[in-house]
Amino acid sequence: MNKYVVRASMVGTALGGAILLKDYTGGGNCPSKASIIGQTVIVTGANTGIGKETALELAKRGGRIIMACRDMGKCENAARDIRGKTLNHNVFARHLDLASSKSIKEFAKTIINEEERVDVLINNAAVMRCPHWKTEDNFEMQFGVNHLGHFLLTNLLLEKMKRSENSRIINVSSLAHIAGDIDFDDLNWEKKKYNTKAAYCQSKLANVLFTNELAKRLQGTKLTANSLHPGVADTELGRHTGMHQSAFSSTILAPLFWFLVKSPKQAAQPSVYLAVAENLQGVSGKYFNALKEKEPAPQALDEESARKLWEESAKLVHLEEALTECKAL
Ligand SMILES: NC(=O)C1=CN([C@@H]2O[C@H](COP(=O)(O)OP(=O)(O)OC[C@H]3O[C@@H](n4cnc5c(N)ncnc54)[C@H](OP(=O)(O)O)[C@@H]3O)[C@@H](O)[C@H]2O)C=CC1
Ligand SMILES: CC1=C(/C=C/C(C)=C/C=C/C(C)=C/C=O)C(C)(C)CCC1
C-alpha cells in the first residue's frame, strides 16, 4: 500500500473515532422507538435550538405538534421546515410570549377551546443572562420567563391534561440549578444588585423545585412531571453572553468546544425520551441528566422550599383569578 493510502486511512479512522466518541459524550439517542400518533404535544420556545429539534423528533413520530413561540415569523418558518422534513402536516405555530401573563392566558384559552387533548407539555423556552430586563408584569425576565411563565401556563393547562390518559409535563432545567439559590426575600431582584448568572441559576433551580411540588400535587392522577438537564449544546441560548460555537471557532478551543458541546439534536434527546419512553409511564418527580435519572442538588430536594415557591409563584401570577378567567369561556 502506498504511504498516502495508509495516511488517508489513519486520518479516516481517527475522524471516525472522534465522531463516534462525540456521539457517546453527546449522551446517546432516545432508545424508545414509540410512535405518538394521536397524541398532542406542546413545545414552548420551539422556533430554534433544543425546542425546534424536540418538535422535529416528535413530529417524526407522528404527533400533533403545537410550537408555542413569541415570534410568529420565526415560528411559522420553523413549523414549515418541520412539516417539509417530516411530511407531518399536524405541526402548528401558535403565539405564546412567556413574558406576558396576558399572552399566556390567551394561549391557554385557545388550547382549551380548540384542542381535543394535550398529552405532553414540554416547558423548554428560556432566556439566559440577559440584562436587567422586566417582563410585561414587572417580573425580572429570567425568573419571569423561565419559571413564572411556565408555572402559570402549566397550571392553566392542568385540567385539560388530566383528561388524557397518562399525560406528561417536562420541565427543561439545567445543571446550572446546582449553583442556584432561591431568595424568598427578593425573588424578583428588586432589593439586591442584579447578577445575570445568579438570576439564571435561580430560575433553573425553580424549574426543579416546581417539578417536584407539581409531581407531589399530582399524586393519584395519571399526569406526571419530571425535569431534565439536556447537556451543554450550541444554540442561541448564549446570545446575551457571546458563549456560542462561532465565538470559539477561530480559537485554540475550537476542537475542544466541538468535542464537548452537543448539537441541538443530541440535546433534544432527553426531552424526546421523557415525552415518549414506555418505561417512564408513571415515573414522576424525577430529575434526569441526559437520559439517566440523577439526584439533583440538595437545595432542589428541599420540600419546604418547593412548597413555598409554589405559594409565592401562585400569588405573583394571581393564579386563582387566572384559573377562573380561563375556565369562564
Ligand atoms: N444550550 C444549552 O447548553 C443548555 C440549555 N438548557 C436549557 O434548554 C432549554 C432550551 O434552550 P436552548 O435551545 O439552548 O436555547 P435557545 O436560546 O436556542 O432557545 C430558547 C427558546 O426560548 C424562546 N424564548 C425566550 N424567551 C421567550 C419568551 N418570552 N416567550 C416564549 N419563548 C421565549 C426563544 O425564542 P426567540 O428565538 O424568539 O428568542 C427560543 O425559541 C432552555 O430551558 C435552557 O435553559 C439547559 C442547559 C444547557
Ligand atoms: C467555553 C468553553 C466551554 C463551554 C461552556 C459552555 C458553553 C457552557 C454553557 C452552559 C450552559 C449554556 C448552561 C445552560 O444552562 C467548554 C465546552 C466547557 C470547554 C471549552 C471552553
Side-chain angles (χ1 to χ4, degrees):
M1 232 190 294
N2 95 26
K3 66 179 178 187
Y4 295 108
V5 176
V6 173
R7 265 188 214 154
S9 66
M10 279 166 68
V11 170
T13 309
L15 213 64
I19 288 166
L20 281 176
L21 205 61
K22 178 167 166 53
D23 213 48
Y24 175 75
T25 56
N29 287 333
C30 170
S32 165
K33 300 282 170 253
S35 125
I36 53 162
I37 294 171
Q39 291 192 24
T40 298
V41 181
I42 298 175
V43 185
T44 69
N47 56 282
T48 186
I50 297 169
K52 183 180 174 191
E53 290 298 330
T54 304
L56 173 65
E57 293 294 309
L58 294 172
K60 281 184 194 162
R61 290 169 189 256
R64 178 179 169 86
I65 313 296
I66 295 170
M67 301 170 69
C69 311
R70 63 176 163 172
D71 182 321
M72 283 312 282
K74 291 185 190 175
C75 198
E76 295 283 8
N77 281 342
R80 195 176 314 113
D81 186 34
I82 293 178
R83 285 193 295 266
K85 281 180 174 147
T86 59
L87 301 182
N88 177 343
H89 292 283
N90 285 318
V91 176
F92 305 98
R94 292 280 178 271
H95 184 255
L96 170 68
D97 182 355
L98 289 155
S100 156
S101 60
K102 184 169 173 272
S103 167
I104 297 168
K105 286 186 267 185
E106 273 165 14
F107 174 82
K109 282 182 200 171
T110 307
I111 297 295
I112 293 166
N113 272 336
E114 294 179 4
E115 295 300 323
E116 244 168 63
R117 52 193 291 152
V118 177
D119 300 276
V120 181
L121 169 63
I122 306 184
N123 289 320
N124 163 85
V127 57
M128 182 175 82
R129 299 190 59 197
C130 56
H132 199 178
W133 292 338
K134 295 286 172 79
T135 67
E136 210 174 89
D137 306 285
N138 219 22
F139 305 135
E140 180 278 314
M141 186 63 76
Q142 301 187 74
F143 189 66
V145 169
N146 304 358
H147 169 61
L148 289 176
H150 284 128
F151 173 85
L152 177 58
L153 174 68
T154 306
N155 273 290
L156 295 179
L157 296 179
L158 274 187
E159 283 310 310
K160 184 92 188 176
M161 293 190 76
K162 278 183 194 163
R163 283 187 227 143
S164 302
E165 278 279 297
N166 306 316
S167 33
R168 302 176 181 199
I169 294 161
I170 297 156
N171 291 329
V172 182
S173 176
S174 165
L175 203 57
H177 83 271
I178 290 175
D181 172 46
I182 308 280
D183 181 356
F184 284 105
D185 287 332
D186 190 18
L187 285 170
N188 265 311
W189 297 86
E190 281 149 354
K191 300 179 190 162
K192 59 189 173 292
K193 189 171 181 286
Y194 181 60
N195 178 318
T196 62
K197 269 190 210 167
Y200 181 72
C201 294
Q202 172 178 263
S203 74
K204 291 286 129 180
L205 172 59
N207 291 157
V208 187
L209 288 167
F210 165 46
T211 308
N212 296 349
E213 179 66 19
L214 179 60
K216 207 171 172 181
R217 289 171 183 245
L218 290 173
Q219 270 168 16
T221 73
K222 286 191 166 178
L223 179 50
T224 62
N226 293 293
S227 61
L228 65 90
H229 167 64
V232 173
D234 187 33
T235 64
E236 292 177 40
L237 192 66
R239 66 183 95 181
H240 301 295
T241 67
M243 257 200 335
H244 44 83
Q245 190 141 16
S246 52
F248 299 97
S249 57
S250 56
T251 73
I252 196 162
L253 289 176
L256 187 63
F257 195 95
W258 178 82
F259 204 73
L260 294 178
V261 175
K262 290 184 183 184
S263 65
K265 183 180 175 175
Q266 287 172 321
Q269 297 306 312
S271 294
V272 174
Y273 178 57
L274 264 62
V276 306
E278 300 91 335
N279 60 309
L280 295 181
Q281 195 165 310
V283 171
S284 196
K286 304 292 183 198
Y287 168 81
F288 289 74
N289 184 331
L291 303 179
K292 295 202 174 74
E293 188 196 319
K294 291 273 161 146
E295 186 102 322
Q299 68 273 33
L301 290 169
D302 187 323
E303 293 186 29
E304 178 53 22
S305 288
R307 188 195 57 76
K308 203 166 160 192
L309 179 66
W310 182 289
E311 280 170 10
E312 292 303 317
S313 305
K315 277 186 220 153
L316 286 168
V317 302
H318 305 289
L319 184 58
E320 287 310 317
E321 290 95 312
L323 281 167
T324 313
E325 196 183 316
C326 288
K327 264 184 219 148
L329 295 169

